[in-house]
Amino acid sequence: SDLIADGTAAMVLSVEPMEALRYAEMLRPDGWIVTDVTPLKNVAAYPDTGRLFEVLFSAPRLVAVDAAALARKAGMVKANNVVMLGAAASLLPLPSELVEKHLRALFAAKGERVVSTNLRAFRMGDAAGRFAAALVARGAPAGLVARVVPRLAFGAEPVAEDLTAQWLDRLLAPDAPAAAARLFDSGD
């Protein structure tokens, strides 16, 4: 939006990795990028994805998820945007319960199956986003977290604290950069 001056946005929320980078200059120094890692190659000059992820994963505060995979797992491919809303939820200045209330109202006319599927998609994104943000907040390099989180399976419940602690230890290990790169590359 032209209403947001460069360097003032608290968050760039994107459903596509190149779009996240396109607007990264709008972020304030402590701002977060929350993005899907699934490229939408709808232009002939789409950048090399290896280079794209190298630049994206250098962001200091980054939540990267595979929204397409989580939406499929939730039961509705079209729920990518709801997964991304969930991934950003812990960084928003409002409780997740309020977001869920409004999601229920938004999808109520489409029936209970659509409501429950979108709530599941939101909660899966929320679990992934909270997990990623917690790892970064505890000192795990954002670039490593961004390579690992999209390749993990998330349910509609928060990640257990002991599992978060185990992943933190793993991401702080000397071989973590190579292991994270292998894990991310295995999903291509």
Side-chain angles (χ1 to χ4, degrees):
S1 168
D2 58 358
L3 299 176
I4 300 171
D6 286 354
T8 64
M11 179 188 305
V12 169
L13 176 58
S14 174
V15 295
E16 206 281 335
M18 187 173 74
E19 289 299 310
L21 288 178
R22 180 173 288 149
Y23 297 102
E25 67 186 21
M26 298 180 89
L27 280 176
R28 62 186 192 207
D30 64 340
W32 283 82
I33 294 174
V34 181
T35 188
D36 187 355
V37 296
T38 307
L40 178 59
K41 298 181 180 182
N42 60 352
V43 293
Y46 197 92
D48 171 70
T49 55
R51 179 70 181 129
L52 173 75
F53 288 126
E54 183 181 325
V55 173
L56 180 63
F57 294 165
S58 70
R61 279 163 298 287
L62 173 67
V63 172
V65 300
D66 187 339
L70 291 176
R72 276 191 307 276
K73 185 177 175 188
M76 187 180 305
V77 175
K78 292 181 180 182
N80 291 34
N81 56 349
V82 177
V83 169
M84 292 311 303
L85 177 61
S90 69
L91 303 169
L92 297 174
L94 53 134
S96 294
E97 297 79 19
L98 182 60
V99 176
E100 287 191 19
K101 174 185 171 185
H102 287 283
L103 286 172
R104 279 187 192 91
L106 178 67
F107 293 110
K110 295 186 178 193
E112 183 53 36
R113 186 188 73 74
V114 173
V115 170
S116 63
T117 300
N118 277 283
L119 288 174
R120 189 169 40 258
F122 174 79
R123 291 173 183 156
M124 292 167 89
D126 188 34
R130 286 180 192 279
F131 179 68
L135 290 170
V136 171
R138 294 177 189 181
L144 297 185
V145 173
R147 285 173 175 82
V148 168
V149 170
R151 302 304 180 230
L152 300 178
F154 291 91
E157 60 283 328
V159 176
E161 176 56 36
D162 62 329
L163 189 55
T164 301
Q166 290 172 18
W167 271 104
L168 180 63
D169 289 345
R170 183 68 184 107
L171 291 171
L172 295 175
D175 68 335
R182 279 192 308 276
L183 180 61
F184 186 76
D185 292 343
S186 72
D188 287 344

